[in-house]
Amino acid sequence: MSSSDNSAADEASSNKEASPCPQVIHTEEGDMKRAAAKKLIERYFYQLTEGCGNPNCTNKDCASSGQFNPMNPNDAAGHALKLFSKDAKLCERHPSKIARIYCGCSKDKFSAPEEPICSVVSNDNVVSQTSVPTHLTEEALYDIIDECESNETYSPLIRTLGEVFSSIENLSKSFSQEPFSATSTPNSENPEKLQCLNKEQLRHLEGEKDKDEDSCAETSKTSIRPVDLPAVRRAYTALFKLKTSIFENAMVNALVTLAGNLQMELPIRKEKDSHDDIVNVLLIVFEIPALGSGDFLETALPAICRAAQWLPVEVQATLATSWAGPGRSSIRNILENLQQLITLRVIVTPFHREFFIQDENVITSATQVMKVLYYANVLAGVLESPALRNMDDMNDSMDESFLAVKLNKSVAPVDSLAQTLGVHILDCRKPFLPYSEFYNEPLSDMVEMDRDFANFKSEFGIFSGKFSFMNYPFILTPATKTMGLYFDNRIRMYSERRISILQAVTGQPSNPYLRLKVRRENIIDDALVELEMIAMENPNDLKKQLVVEFEGEQGIDEGGVSKEFFQLVIEEIFNPDYAMFTVQSETQMMWFNPTSFESTAQFNLIGIVLGLAIYNNIILAVNFPMVLYRKLMGRKGSFEDLLDWNPVLYNSLKQLLEYTEPDLEEVFLQTFRISYKDVFGSVINYDLKEKGDKIPVTQENKYEFVDLYADFLLNKSVEKQFKAFYKGFQMVVDESPLDQLFRPEEIELLICGSKNFDFDELENSTEYDGGYTNDSQVIKDFWSVVHALSTEDKRKLLQFTTGSDRVPIGGLSRLKLVIAKNGQDSDRLPTAHTCFNVLLLPEYSSKEKLKDRLVKAINYSKGFGML
């Protein structure tokens, strides 16, 4: 059987029509073995392409019949599967029509003997018989390449690649770390097992034959050895020094055949079956250097990804572990290949209202493979102890009423792959590759998040059969994930609004919004008192849409009033006069004051404010260290978190750890007693261990000292304040998919906004109305003035036009600023609708006048009026 024919025969298993095949094996022919099923399908394929050899054949599904319409190999492969599922008539084969192979050195076809033979014509025109190996080693590949180059024919190489890379069994044994046992080598003295290891003729399907084959398959599975990945890479380096055109077609066809075999094999394997061969196959395939280019990218890689989506979670975990260990140097190359495949399909596929990006099987299957690589990237990075996860401790601190509310909420599904690996994203201090390299921007821009969110929230989630990229958030940019969070929050707001309306119908008092009425000069007391009452009476009211009203002002809150409300609250909360937070002088980072006199209720309410900001899609001007966001996600602070919060202390402790001389005790003069200052500047001593002032820090206990020191500063000393803060935060976001979609650094971006202060982006995304265009002279003058402003004045301009001086996640292009004409030249100042990001700009007669009016407007405007 030719390599190309075999490819066509098995290719159908990578199509949607292949799915019935595993079911037929179980339901219609329960006793039929997998090997026999495959051979039967191949017989149907030969019947459709070659015929039975009987010129008087009356079978309409046989090429020898006069009623038969010729088929190409691909159509024949698909039709062979259908005939197999229907248990259709199978002709008796003509004696001459036995299983055949194709030798790359000529177009002739040869009968398949017990061992594949390839005819090679040497320079002396003497025909020699060269045995084709059933599996490859590094040395064997070198020998074949040398032989081909010396004979000036690459037929043996082409034939070998086709034979090895099209077979799960052959490829899984290739490039093994250890030699195979005698029972599985080509030189074995046991002919029965030797025949099972090689591809046989299609001639019989007797039960005893199947039994022998299954017995042999079990023997071969036990002989699978781990792949020697360095040898694989060296072998590929030698192979791809040749012109790719020599072997590309044969290798691509073989990989498509291999993918078909995988897609047929994986769904019918039992859980107890060994999958070492599958892992070996995938490790070898994904090492191919050219997998992300040419026909490999367009044909082979999609087929492999479609097959890999059938991998059981245990096999995914094994594959991830292998990539994280000896395969880690290939993580970047594999990721780039998958990214290229996804990007290519996003660009070339004509999506429409009946066919969305979530329906494109190549994209979704490649994303599933990327998830395995994502966890490999985590495992290959710097991991911390799982003991630092503290969700149980946090839940223990909640009062019974709050826990009762949480028990009624939907629980996020457990990531089965992470659970099998025993790892959590929060365990990874530093991944092998930056997380940002897993973002795919073309895909993120193309995803329609309304549909994706609907799939994500479908009744049975991932088990509904509906694909959602929100279940694979590593591939989405933070800006796109924010849209998913926005939909979730808005739907919850509308749900609370409907409940309020129903209550009103039944005569109960109701309020569809979370209304806060505050005085600008007394904003903290007014806001916190109202929020405290709401949190005590009905925490679910916090999930209603926020509407803020400043007493004595006419502004109607469509978003802009809320933005200023949060900004003013944050300014007051972090006022040093309250002494609820301390500021690190080197980094200007805010942290909980362990000696604060404020009650836990105050910290609880600050957590509510932070949660409300996320829930209402408002960016805050806060400057917390990253450890706060890690703690909000359920991870305790540790030594490495000190770098971001207090780099001076971190470097001092690091010097202690790196000091290796035996006189550490005399040099550092440090004991297990530490000191810190309270709000009045008084020094407070604290023993990290009992009688800590009597225990010197030595080479033996220095790591314990550093861990205890960091644990005290980041966890124990602020435990009361943080637990209250965390409780308030969870009152708002407990039902949100926040922790499913975002990592700690993305949470910071969500709360604080982007640091990319690029006004060129804002200019390019701005729209014009009322008669202005980007060619209007006043618009040209406006941007000339704006680009010349200081950074501080640019922030004031953002505050004036949008109600916030922060850059939204995704950059300034996300603001969608609108500049509208507001009459002819006059002495009026520019005005703005902050709720809708609209700047009303008169058509000033000169650039100087425009600058003067604009600067005055952004510096002296405060409060809201009816515009």
Side-chain angles (χ1 to χ4, degrees):
M1 179 177 179
S2 74
S3 176
S4 58
D5 288 346
N6 191 29
S7 169
D10 293 331
E11 183 181 6
S13 61
S14 66
N15 298 331
K16 293 181 179 178
E17 294 178 346
S19 57
C21 206
Q23 300 299 324
V24 174
I25 293 174
H26 285 298
T27 58
E28 295 184 7
E29 296 291 338
D31 297 331
M32 182 176 289
K33 307 301 181 181
R34 291 189 295 270
K38 179 183 175 183
K39 295 179 185 301
L40 187 58
I41 295 171
E42 288 179 342
R43 289 190 63 187
Y44 279 116
F45 174 77
Y46 278 117
Q47 180 174 292
L48 293 167
T49 55
E50 310 252 355
C52 65
N54 180 7
N56 300 318
C57 180
T58 59
N59 185 354
K60 65 178 181 179
D61 293 313
C62 178
S64 297
S65 169
Q67 309 172 31
F68 183 78
N69 293 322
M71 295 184 177
N72 61 46
N74 289 333
D75 292 340
H79 197 55
L81 285 172
K82 293 180 180 179
L83 294 178
F84 172 76
S85 64
K86 297 176 181 178
D87 197 19
K89 178 181 177 181
L90 190 63
C91 297
E92 290 295 327
R93 302 295 299 275
H94 187 276
S96 64
K97 296 290 184 179
I98 61 175
R100 297 189 283 185
I101 63 169
Y102 172 72
C103 178
C105 52
S106 73
K107 295 183 179 180
D108 296 331
K109 295 183 177 178
F110 303 86
S111 298
E114 294 293 322
E115 176 124 2
I117 301 294
C118 179
S119 298
V120 179
V121 182
S122 67
N123 292 333
D124 299 326
N125 295 325
V126 177
V127 178
S128 62
Q129 299 295 317
T130 304
S131 175
V132 176
T134 56
H135 64 274
L136 274 177
T137 64
E138 182 182 1
E139 294 75 13
L141 183 62
Y142 293 159
D143 291 342
I144 294 172
I145 292 175
D146 290 342
E147 178 186 353
C148 291
E149 289 180 335
S150 62
N151 292 332
E152 297 184 357
T153 177
Y154 291 92
S155 299
L157 174 64
I158 294 171
R159 183 66 187 93
T160 300
L161 295 177
E163 186 71 24
V164 172
F165 280 84
S166 63
S167 166
I168 298 175
E169 184 179 9
N170 293 348
L171 190 57
S172 66
K173 295 179 183 178
S174 299
F175 307 106
S176 173
Q177 290 184 6
E178 300 177 25
F180 290 103
S181 62
T183 59
S184 61
T185 58
N187 296 326
S188 171
E189 296 179 0
N190 188 332
E192 292 294 326
K193 293 179 180 178
L194 176 62
Q195 289 176 354
C196 287
L197 292 174
N198 291 326
K199 195 170 185 178
E200 298 181 0
Q201 300 174 353
L202 298 176
R203 58 176 184 263
H204 297 295
L205 290 173
E206 295 102 1
E208 286 301 316
K209 186 69 176 177
D210 294 341
K211 184 176 180 180
D212 290 342
E213 288 181 348
D214 282 352
S215 174
C216 180
E218 290 297 323
T219 303
S220 66
K221 285 180 183 177
T222 60
S223 66
I224 297 296
R225 299 290 187 268
V227 173
D228 185 352
L229 287 177
V232 173
R233 292 165 189 152
R234 292 191 298 269
Y236 281 143
T237 299
L239 177 63
F240 280 85
K241 284 182 180 179
L242 303 174
K243 290 183 179 180
T244 310
S245 58
I246 294 173
F247 58 86
E248 182 178 31
N249 288 340
M251 202 168 181
V252 168
N253 289 336
L255 290 173
V256 172
T257 301
L258 175 72
N261 293 335
L262 286 171
Q263 197 163 350
M264 185 184 299
E265 177 77 9
L266 285 171
I268 60 176
R269 282 205 181 186
K270 298 179 181 179
E271 292 184 5
K272 64 181 180 179
D273 291 344
S274 171
H275 288 80
D276 292 346
D277 55 339
I278 304 296
V279 174
N280 282 5
V281 164
L282 293 176
L283 287 174
I284 294 172
V285 167
F286 278 101
E287 288 289 334
I288 298 175
L291 205 57
S293 61
D295 286 344
F296 287 99
L297 178 64
E298 295 184 4
T299 306
L301 184 55
I304 294 295
C305 287
R306 283 195 297 265
Q309 68 182 332
W310 291 95
L311 291 175
V313 66
E314 293 80 9
V315 184
Q316 295 179 34
T318 304
L319 187 59
T321 304
S322 300
W323 276 335
R328 69 174 59 192
S329 61
S330 296
I331 290 179
R332 182 183 297 278
N333 185 57
I334 298 171
L335 175 60
E336 290 176 352
N337 291 339
L338 292 172
Q339 292 283 35
Q340 288 177 27
L341 174 60
I342 293 172
T343 301
L344 175 66
R345 289 301 176 119
V346 167
I347 293 172
V348 303
T349 305
F351 299 109
H352 50 80
R353 294 303 302 174
E354 300 298 325
F355 185 73
F356 294 88
I357 195 170
Q358 295 89 347
D359 302 322
E360 219 291 336
N361 183 252
V362 172
I363 293 176
T364 58
S365 60
T367 302
Q368 290 172 297
V369 176
M370 194 185 292
K371 178 181 178 180
V372 180
L373 194 69
Y374 178 75
Y375 277 103
N377 186 57
V378 169
L379 292 173
V382 179
L383 296 177
E384 292 183 318
S385 170
L388 290 173
R389 298 180 216 157
N390 66 337
M391 288 312 302
D392 292 337
D393 296 341
M394 297 306 301
N395 288 334
D396 291 342
S397 71
M398 303 300 179
D399 56 66
E400 292 183 3
S401 61
F402 179 67
L403 285 178
V405 173
K406 283 186 70 64
L407 287 175
N408 293 325
K409 308 301 183 185
S410 58
V411 179
V414 176
D415 189 325
S416 56
L417 179 55
Q419 189 176 50
T420 304
L421 290 168
V423 70
H424 193 282
I425 296 300
L426 292 175
D427 296 339
C428 186
R429 170 62 60 178
K430 182 181 179 181
F432 183 71
L433 298 179
Y435 289 123
S436 58
E437 295 196 18
F438 283 81
Y439 298 150
N440 188 293
E441 293 189 8
L443 182 144
S444 297
D445 293 339
M446 183 66 69
V447 170
E448 296 189 31
M449 287 306 296
D450 53 349
R451 171 168 288 270
D452 200 76
F453 176 77
N455 290 352
F456 178 72
K457 299 296 284 188
S458 59
E459 182 178 359
F460 300 105
I462 59 176
F463 302 106
S464 67
K466 297 179 179 179
F467 187 92
S468 170
F469 289 102
M470 289 178 68
N471 287 315
Y472 303 84
F474 54 84
I475 199 171
L476 299 176
T477 61
T480 301
K481 287 187 283 192
T482 301
M483 287 302 299
L485 185 66
Y486 174 81
F487 284 125
D488 186 83
N489 293 340
R490 286 292 166 179
I491 288 174
R492 192 161 290 111
M493 288 178 185
Y494 296 150
S495 176
E496 293 295 333
R497 193 180 303 174
R498 286 196 299 271
I499 292 173
S500 295
I501 294 173
L502 291 175
Q503 289 175 342
V505 171
T506 60
Q508 302 179 41
S510 66
N511 187 351
Y513 298 98
L514 172 61
R515 293 188 179 276
L516 296 180
K517 187 173 183 178
V518 296
R519 294 167 291 174
R520 188 179 289 271
E521 66 277 4
N522 203 29
I523 191 169
I524 291 295
D525 290 341
D526 290 352
L528 296 189
V529 167
E530 288 197 47
L531 289 174
E532 184 176 17
M533 292 177 60
I534 293 170
M536 291 175 60
E537 294 176 1
N538 187 6
N540 278 336
D541 284 351
L542 296 172
K543 296 182 174 63
K544 295 177 179 178
Q545 184 175 348
L546 178 65
V547 176
V548 177
E549 179 184 345
F550 283 103
E551 192 173 288
E553 300 183 21
Q554 296 177 311
I556 296 177
D557 191 5
E558 292 289 343
V561 182
S562 295
K563 291 177 185 177
E564 182 166 3
F565 163 76
F566 277 104
Q567 182 181 12
L568 295 175
V569 167
I570 291 299
E571 288 176 359
E572 290 294 322
I573 285 176
F574 293 110
N575 190 321
D577 294 340
Y578 282 92
M580 297 179 67
F581 294 88
T582 60
V583 180
Q584 283 295 329
S585 57
E586 298 86 4
T587 61
Q588 295 299 303
M589 293 286 183
M590 300 288 183
W591 191 242
F592 302 95
N593 185 353
T595 61
S596 172
F597 294 125
E598 299 292 340
S599 67
T600 56
Q602 297 292 88
F603 288 97
N604 182 271
L605 293 172
I606 296 171
I608 291 176
V609 168
L610 196 69
L612 285 174
I614 293 178
Y615 193 62
N616 290 273
N617 199 31
I618 293 173
I619 299 171
L620 300 180
V622 296
N623 196 24
F624 286 123
M626 185 57 63
V627 63
L628 175 83
Y629 304 105
R630 289 171 62 83
K631 286 170 72 70
L632 283 176
M633 301 291 282
R635 184 81 180 179
K636 292 181 180 179
S638 62
F639 167 63
E640 291 297 331
D641 290 308
L642 293 175
L643 176 60
D644 182 42
W645 174 55
N646 192 336
V648 174
L649 176 60
Y650 174 84
N651 289 326
S652 298
L653 294 176
K654 191 172 184 181
Q655 287 179 1
L656 175 69
L657 294 178
E658 292 175 347
Y659 192 82
T660 58
E661 300 299 325
D663 60 346
L664 180 145
E665 184 177 344
E666 292 77 18
V667 172
F668 287 89
L669 298 174
Q670 179 65 53
T671 67
F672 274 72
R673 169 172 287 182
I674 61 172
S675 302
Y676 62 98
K677 294 181 179 180
D678 63 11
V679 290
F680 301 108
S682 302
V683 176
I684 300 176
N685 294 320
Y686 177 82
D687 289 346
L688 297 175
K689 298 176 69 173
E690 187 177 355
K691 297 181 179 180
D693 60 323
K694 307 296 183 183
I695 306 174
V697 176
T698 64
Q699 288 289 0
E700 289 72 26
N701 63 19
K702 64 182 181 181
Y703 285 97
E704 180 187 14
F705 168 76
V706 168
D707 288 340
L708 289 174
Y709 197 176
D711 183 52
F712 172 76
L713 292 176
L714 300 176
N715 304 312
K716 289 184 177 178
S717 67
V718 297
E719 183 175 14
K720 180 180 67 173
Q721 294 87 343
F722 177 75
K723 283 185 175 179
F725 176 85
Y726 176 81
K727 176 184 175 181
F729 183 77
Q730 284 295 317
M731 281 183 175
V732 184
V733 303
D734 60 325
E735 292 183 277
S736 168
L738 189 69
D739 56 346
Q740 297 172 248
L741 297 177
F742 298 92
R743 300 186 308 275
E745 57 270 24
E746 293 174 327
I747 295 288
E748 180 189 31
L749 198 61
L750 185 67
I751 294 174
C752 302
S754 171
K755 297 179 181 179
N756 184 19
F757 212 71
D758 187 352
F759 264 68
D760 288 329
E761 284 187 7
L762 182 62
E763 180 180 359
N764 292 334
S765 63
T766 296
E767 299 176 357
Y768 305 97
D769 195 11
Y772 283 150
T773 68
N774 49 350
D775 292 324
S776 301
Q777 185 59 45
V778 68
I779 296 300
K780 293 179 180 179
D781 292 342
F782 172 82
W783 288 114
S784 176
V785 169
V786 167
H787 289 305
L789 293 175
S790 65
T791 301
E792 183 61 28
D793 282 342
K794 287 179 179 178
R795 288 191 178 277
K796 291 178 181 178
L797 176 62
L798 286 181
Q799 175 70 43
F800 176 75
T801 54
T802 69
S804 172
D805 65 348
R806 314 295 288 185
V807 179
I809 187 169
L812 286 173
S813 61
R814 300 276 173 173
L815 276 180
K816 302 301 180 185
L817 179 67
V818 177
I819 300 179
K821 188 175 181 179
N822 191 25
Q824 298 300 318
D825 180 39
S826 70
D827 292 332
R828 288 182 300 168
L829 298 178
T831 54
H833 293 296
T834 56
C835 301
F836 308 105
N837 299 343
V838 176
L839 175 64
L840 301 174
L841 187 68
E843 192 173 11
Y844 296 113
S845 58
S846 67
K847 180 178 177 181
E848 291 73 20
K849 188 174 183 179
L850 185 151
K851 179 179 180 180
D852 176 73
R853 298 298 186 272
L854 182 64
V855 170
K856 286 180 179 178
I858 65 177
N859 280 287
Y860 302 112
S861 63
K862 225 174 195 182
F864 296 89
M866 296 296 290
L867 298 177

